[in-house]
Amino acid sequence: MMTLFSRLNKISKHHYLFGAFILLFCSVFSLVEIKNSKLEMNDFRVYFDAVNDFFNGNNPYVKHYGLNTGFFKYPPTTLYLFSPATLLDYSSAKMIHLVILFFSIVISIPLVHNLCKKLLGVDLNNKQRWILYVSFICVAIHLSRELHMGNVNLILLLLFVLGLHFLNDKKLIPAALFWSLMLIMKPIMILAVIPLPFFKQWRLIGYMAGAGILFFLLPMINLGWIGNLEIWGNWFKAIASHGDYIVSENSLTYLTHFYLGIDSTWIPSLCMLAVLMVAFIFDRYFNKKGDTNLTIWLIIFTAFIPNFFVTDTEHFLLSLPLIILLLTLLSKIKKRYYWIGFFLGMLLFSFKSNDLLGKQLTEFANSHGVIGIGNLVFLFTVVYIWLKNSIISKETVQQ
């Protein structure tokens, strides 16, 4: 952990100013929400009520909390991670969770920005302030919704970024800890770690597996072995019915049905995953133009998660590292036509809001899955640029 504090201490002045800007934005947004009695944080309500229900001896997987879609569908270990909330009333717990979300994004963006500059051989003294603010503009709508709903996607983002940080510093145990927590909080994050076996990160995978076993056994503390199996069984039943009440217009399942008439739950997502895997394997084993970087592909597969799974739009915050990477690539290459992909992706990804577009355009954007399309544009722009250009020297690659 000392390397993390050391890295944070070395963050430049413009990162602190940007962090202050983010805190100001989050604070003003939250204060306005509070004043208008709109800071409901319904997603956090699900965690809070489910945890209290569980520790009162009830099954948290059989009823909804708050909204009709507010079913608790997360692994049993998550109940223990949120157990300190049982010591507080909802209002206090909600505000603490909000502050954690604030600092999650404040820490994540500078770490990703410095990491991308290091990986791409950009002079760390090159401040590139504009990348910070443009990347923020890209995700501002999603950030606002995350704060409004009180989900954990910013925490997932922070855990992913911290794992990247320690992996690049070759600190495998803390990297495994952060990524194990990330996976146990939301198992859909499994796509993020697909590249690890291809880079023979067996020790890291082993540490993560060990942590996963401990997380699986954690409910035995108060439930015993039979109770542990039962609560995990209840979770499996909950996720099996997840698709029955959640619709995502930005998932490949929806997009291929809407535009192509393909009626399949998993085939479109698996086909697109196969395309990314072919690009990844080509880059890993056959691309002789330059070195492949593990971190790059970890970022790419993480950004693909909200397209692959049927989930909420706040999950597109996971594309923030990809956006920062893309902007850093564009600043490095300096080819104007590559910016077409960025601006098209930004147009579709970043502005779906009633306040910005009005009700009719927002409904059109919803029904046409523009956020999901924008994210795919970002993804394939990065993959295309990465495969086409040899911009990273062997000295700067961190594998």
Side-chain angles (χ1 to χ4, degrees):
M1 293 299 291
M2 291 304 296
T3 60
L4 174 60
F5 291 122
S6 174
R7 184 68 56 85
L8 290 174
N9 286 334
K10 292 179 181 178
I11 286 177
S12 56
K13 181 180 178 180
H14 68 277
H15 280 135
Y16 283 113
L17 291 174
F18 177 73
F21 166 75
I22 293 291
L23 285 177
L24 178 63
F25 172 87
C26 293
S27 300
V28 170
F29 174 84
S30 300
L31 288 172
V32 171
E33 289 264 294
I34 292 170
K35 183 178 180 180
N36 295 328
S37 300
K38 290 185 176 180
L39 193 67
E40 299 169 347
M41 297 183 70
N42 286 312
D43 286 345
F44 179 70
R45 167 69 74 176
V46 173
Y47 285 94
F48 182 84
D49 287 348
V51 167
N52 279 281
D53 215 14
F54 172 69
F55 284 102
N56 284 324
N58 301 312
N59 181 359
Y61 294 107
V62 294
K63 66 180 182 180
H64 63 81
Y65 301 97
L67 300 177
N68 290 335
T69 57
F71 290 90
F72 185 77
K73 50 190 178 290
Y74 310 105
T77 309
T78 312
L79 296 163
Y80 295 85
L81 297 178
F82 280 83
S83 61
T86 60
L87 304 175
L88 304 168
D89 60 88
Y90 178 67
S91 296
S92 300
K94 178 173 72 173
M95 296 312 296
I96 291 174
H97 184 71
L98 195 63
V99 170
I100 292 172
L101 296 183
F102 287 5
F103 283 97
S104 292
I105 191 164
V106 166
I107 295 171
S108 296
I109 292 180
L111 285 177
V112 172
H113 185 217
N114 276 349
L115 182 59
C116 287
K117 287 196 294 184
K118 179 181 177 183
L119 292 172
L120 302 181
V122 177
D123 183 2
L124 291 180
N125 293 320
N126 184 352
K127 297 177 181 179
Q128 295 183 328
R129 294 186 185 93
W130 64 273
I131 290 180
L132 300 172
Y133 293 94
V134 173
S135 62
F136 167 76
I137 292 171
C138 288
V139 300
I141 295 297
H142 307 294
L143 173 61
S144 299
R145 180 165 174 79
E146 175 81 350
L147 298 177
H148 174 72
M149 296 300 294
N151 211 306
V152 298
N153 297 297
L154 288 175
I155 299 174
L156 293 177
L157 175 65
L158 177 60
L159 293 172
F160 173 70
V161 170
L162 290 174
L164 284 182
H165 162 80
F166 283 108
L167 177 62
N168 277 271
D169 279 352
K170 297 183 172 23
K171 307 290 185 182
L172 299 187
I173 292 178
L177 175 61
F178 286 121
W179 281 351
S180 297
L181 285 170
M182 175 186 76
L183 290 170
I184 205 66
M185 288 184 70
K186 285 199 177 179
I188 62 173
M189 297 299 294
I190 191 65
L191 284 190
V193 297
I194 281 179
L196 293 181
F198 294 89
F199 283 83
K200 300 180 181 179
Q201 292 286 337
W202 305 120
R203 286 178 59 201
L204 177 59
I205 294 170
Y207 292 146
M208 292 172 62
I213 292 171
L214 293 177
F215 289 145
F216 173 76
L217 297 175
L218 185 60
M220 288 181 60
I221 293 175
N222 63 315
L223 297 179
W225 175 247
I226 300 300
N228 181 53
L229 295 179
E230 183 179 351
I231 194 68
W232 281 98
N234 291 333
W235 172 63
F236 279 112
K237 292 177 184 177
I239 60 172
S241 61
H242 176 50
D244 296 339
Y245 57 89
I246 293 291
V247 175
S248 170
E249 295 87 355
N250 302 293
S251 66
L252 282 164
T253 299
Y254 177 91
L255 290 173
T256 53
H257 176 73
F258 184 84
Y259 288 103
L260 303 176
I262 298 173
D263 190 13
S264 174
T265 302
W266 288 109
I267 290 178
S269 296
L270 291 172
C271 287
M272 193 64 71
L273 177 61
V275 171
L276 284 179
M277 288 298 300
V278 168
F280 165 61
I281 291 171
F282 170 79
D283 191 38
R284 177 71 179 100
Y285 296 108
F286 302 107
N287 187 1
K288 303 303 182 182
K289 295 180 180 179
D291 294 305
T292 305
N293 188 275
L294 171 58
T295 302
I296 301 297
W297 285 100
L298 289 167
I299 289 173
I300 289 170
F301 280 103
T302 299
F304 182 55
I305 288 171
N307 284 118
F308 186 87
F309 292 102
V310 175
T311 189
D312 302 318
T313 57
E314 304 99 283
H315 288 80
F316 284 100
L317 285 166
L318 297 172
S319 295
L320 181 56
L322 183 83
I323 294 169
I324 295 173
L325 171 63
L326 174 55
L327 291 170
T328 310
L329 281 167
L330 293 171
S331 72
K332 175 80 174 180
I333 298 173
K334 302 185 185 302
K335 291 185 179 179
R336 293 181 181 178
Y337 61 89
Y338 286 151
W339 284 90
I340 296 173
F342 171 75
F343 284 119
L344 177 60
M346 183 180 182
L347 178 66
L348 298 171
F349 183 88
S350 305
F351 302 110
K352 200 214 78 175
S353 165
N354 279 337
D355 295 331
L356 294 175
L357 303 179
K359 186 176 180 180
Q360 279 190 322
L361 276 178
T362 301
E363 289 178 353
F364 176 87
N366 280 336
S367 63
H368 287 72
V370 297
I371 295 176
I373 296 172
N375 194 55
L376 291 173
V377 171
F378 282 148
L379 274 166
F380 285 103
T381 301
V382 169
V383 171
Y384 175 79
I385 294 174
W386 182 253
L387 293 181
K388 186 174 177 62
N389 293 272
S390 303
I391 61 171
I392 298 183
S393 66
K394 293 182 180 180
E395 289 76 17
T396 59
V397 169
Q398 302 286 316
Q399 290 194 8

